[in-house]
Amino acid sequence: MTREIAVVAFAQTAHRRTSDELSEVEMLMPVLHEVLERTGLKTADIGFTCSGSSDYLAGRAFSFTLALDGVGAWPPISESHVEMDGAWALYEAWTKLLTGDADTALVYSYGKSSPGPVRDVLTRQLDPYYVAPLWPDPVALAALQAQALIDAGETDEPALAAVAARNRAAASSNSHAQLRGSIPQGDYLVRPLRTGDCPPIGDGAAAVILATGERARELCARPAWIRGIDHRIEAHGLGVRDLTDSPSTRLAAEKAGAFERPVDTAELHAPFTSQEVILRKALRLDDSVTVNPSGGALAAHPIMAAGLIRVGEAAARIHRGESDRALAHATSGPCLQQNLVAVLEGDPR
Amino acid sequence: MPGVLKAPLVVEFPFTRSLGPVQGAFLTGLRERVVLGVRTRDGRTLVPPVEYDPVTAEEIRDLVEVAPTGTVTTWAWNHEPRRGQPLSSPFAWVLVKLDGADTALLHALDVPGPEAVRTGLRVRIRWAEERSGAITDLACFEPYDGEPARPAGHDGEFEDAITGIVAPARLDYTYSPGRAQSAYIGALAGQRTVGERCPKCRKVYVPPRGACPTCGAATHEQVEVGPRGTVTTFCIVNIKAKNLDIEVPYVYAHIALDGADLALHGRIGGIPYDQVRMGLRVEPVWTRGARHPDHYRPTGEPDAHYDSYKELL
Ligand SMILES: [Zn+2]
């Protein structure tokens, strides 16, 4: 029998441009303590722990092992790590719970972008033969995608500015967000993308707790049940893909059951305004769906945590009774290379 | 509280990568001013070429020459080039579908301004003067209003094909060790060693990292430890490290400073290497202007009893 698995708690830092007074573990620890306090669990009660981060951000090797100091690994814990956004760590934890090996899981992720030039750092994730030697940064690659979208007649610069304004207006009620309220679109960073079309660079961390069946009901008044979750990837060659579409998102959504019934909320990991246009189309989201009530990645973008935060924000809305069926999306790599979709539901009211 | 420390940190690495038959032929071709694609079973030509069909995952090896002229499929204006990018003056990033290809190649286009670029613009390759078999042998694209160039029909066989590339990378960081370790390093400047006590298990960690690794609790209470301590375990190093001016053999030890619940590392001096033992009592030796003890030497006290440090092994 398939086990029911839910997100029962979520916490995140106040995301900031820099947090250089804190080490990674110092930044992460309050978030870990917060999710544990919400559920009343202690580290020793957690069946499985999985984290997501990248050494390239802070420029130090094996940083995730130092971050484990904040978890408290005694008595010995069952632990794993992905060199990816925490949304993929959540996927690993979900499969672990499905196997029956654990009833609860702690998933966390963090990114300190402030020590390094993140636009240059992220070029190191590109194809090392044909692309990385040219150092095209993520803004440049997203700008190519945005121009393709404009050429296809699917958006224009005013429409992109409206996406930015809507997200950051929504972030006004999100105390964790880095950019809130009315922000000027600014100058071109790489045309056609302006500063306002791009995510803020910042440091932050997030954590969620997953639990199965009755355990979830004990730990949370209204668990956010994961009805489906799937992730897909596209050809790595940018020139092979149709940059105006995201077939991997569509397929992941289909496999996660997103199209079976309408969702009322969608938390999309769209670091660039143009990517929200593409994701809305791939996910068939119309104006009846509340998209990014948190402000999304345009309001706060701690790399490696921003995707997990989408799952956490969607779940938190279900916990609060503001949503009954929500979609969460996470992306990784250039131009929406890899995409994860989760469908979350609350018990009927 | 003293300020949080910061220092420049440069991470530099030359990745040596081997190339397969397809990537090797493509990059060798660039050295010889020949652009090769690879043909899929369904007749598409992929440029740059890959070894496996991105749709079917079938292995593909059928190399075919395409033209050095092509068409821009999308672009982005880069008014502020960053380090390492193909041109140092403002340029357009472009995806270019070369004549004869079905997919597009990412590179730079040299034009004076954004008004000189559009999707559909015809372009041609500008070759680098010195070429070594790398994507940067293609210096950039430039506008071109002539006929499509005709490829000569190269079969992808080269006399001295390259089999690998070295991909250098450099990233510059401003490293900060955070609050706890800054305080530790700050205290060392005054030749004091300061740890932090866990509020839950009361253990004192040195060097402190701001968290108790056992309890996962935040640590704040500073505790001065040492200066004397006990060797808990050690090893004898017989290999001379590069750039390190220490005669071998020497002893590298774990030292539990008095009052600390975690041993730190240090070199033992002032005693023949084969007389170092567990339980040996030691104290730090500072050299002028140093940021940490140069080594630890025997204090002359009787050895510590095993029971007094066995929990710290
Ligand atoms: Zn403790």
Side-chain angles (χ1 to χ4, degrees), chain B residues 198 201 212 215:
Chain B
C198 172
C201 68
C212 170
C215 305

Side-chain angles (χ1 to χ4, degrees), chain B residues 41-158:
Chain B
R41 188 196 285 261
D42 65 4
R44 287 170 306 133
T45 299
L46 312 180
V47 180
V50 291
E51 292 157 324
Y52 297 90
D53 187 313
V55 178
T56 66
E58 186 180 27
E59 189 173 359
I60 42 181
R61 288 284 180 274
D62 184 11
L63 294 163
V64 47
E65 188 181 351
V66 298
T69 55
T71 305
V72 170
T73 64
T74 187
W75 62 282
W77 184 251
N78 191 30
H79 66 90
E80 252 176 341
R82 302 174 73 81
R83 188 180 68 200
Q85 295 182 343
L87 297 169
S88 52
S89 53
F91 67 89
W93 288 107
V94 282
L95 279 168
V96 173
K97 198 180 275 189
L98 291 170
D99 297 321
D102 293 291
T103 59
L105 172 83
L106 177 77
H107 221 292
L109 171 69
D110 186 10
V111 282
E115 59 291 338
V117 202
R118 62 188 162 79
T119 297
L121 183 74
R122 293 284 297 159
V123 295
R124 73 174 167 200
I125 290 173
R126 181 192 300 163
W127 295 103
E129 293 202 354
E130 289 185 21
R131 297 179 306 282
S132 60
I135 191 66
T136 45
D137 289 354
L138 198 169
C140 63
F141 285 97
E142 59 192 21
Y144 172 73
D145 57 8
E147 292 294 306
R150 286 199 185 197
H154 201 287
D155 61 2
E157 293 289 326
F158 295 94

Side-chain angles (χ1 to χ4, degrees), chain A residues 117-252:
Chain A
V118 73
R119 286 175 67 184
D120 300 332
V121 170
L122 289 179
T123 64
R124 300 302 93 191
Q125 70 180 338
L126 301 168
D127 160 22
Y129 305 99
Y130 301 158
V131 183
L134 307 174
W135 295 79
D137 62 280
V139 180
L141 297 175
L144 286 166
Q145 184 171 37
Q147 185 63 44
L149 208 60
I150 291 168
D151 285 336
E154 299 197 29
T155 193
D156 53 26
E157 290 191 34
L160 295 181
V163 170
R166 205 206 69 253
N167 276 281
R168 291 183 181 124
S172 297
S173 51
N174 176 358
S175 62
H176 300 280
Q178 186 177 335
L179 290 185
R180 281 177 278 181
S182 181
I183 309 284
Q185 263 307 76
D187 295 330
Y188 287 121
L189 215 47
V190 180
R191 183 171 168 172
L193 295 180
R194 295 173 183 273
T195 321
D197 293 304
C198 302
I201 294 170
D203 300 351
V208 304
I209 287 178
L210 303 180
T212 58
E214 282 310 305
R215 197 85 181 91
R217 292 195 167 84
E218 290 163 21
L219 297 171
C220 179
R222 192 170 193 245
W225 302 106
I226 300 175
R227 296 301 187 208
I229 180 168
D230 196 89
H231 63 102
R232 300 283 158 162
I233 179 169
E234 296 179 31
H236 75 251
L238 289 171
V240 172
R241 293 162 48 188
D242 172 2
L243 293 179
T244 67
D245 196 7
S246 185
S248 56
T249 299
R250 188 179 296 112
L251 185 58

Side-chain angles (χ1 to χ4, degrees), chain B residues 155-168:
Chain B
D155 61 2
E157 293 289 326
F158 295 94
E159 285 281 320
D160 50 346
I162 61 162
T163 56
I165 56 169
V166 177

Side-chain angles (χ1 to χ4, degrees), chain B residues 155-261:
Chain B
D155 61 2
E157 293 289 326
F158 295 94
E159 285 281 320
D160 50 346
I162 61 162
T163 56
I165 56 169
V166 177
R170 177 193 165 115
L171 296 168
D172 288 75
Y173 298 90
T174 303
Y175 182 70
S176 170
R179 179 200 59 79
Q181 293 188 82
S182 289
Y184 170 75
I185 295 167
L188 280 179
Q191 301 197 354
R192 296 184 308 123
T193 302
V194 171
E196 284 185 353
R197 190 189 306 279
C198 172
K200 288 191 178 168
C201 68
R202 308 301 295 164
K203 284 192 168 143
V204 173
Y205 290 96
V206 54
R209 295 204 295 255
C212 170
T214 308
C215 305
T219 59
H220 289 285
E221 185 194 338
Q222 291 189 355
V223 180
E224 186 163 344
V225 298
R228 294 184 166 187
T230 302
V231 171
T232 62
T233 186
F234 64 94
C235 64
I236 299 166
V237 180
N238 285 291
I239 297 170
K240 203 167 170 63
K242 203 173 164 185
N243 304 326
L244 196 60
D245 189 23
I246 300 173
E247 285 307 310
V248 292
Y250 67 88
V251 173
Y252 184 71
H254 277 189
I255 299 155
L257 296 180
D258 295 344
D261 291 290

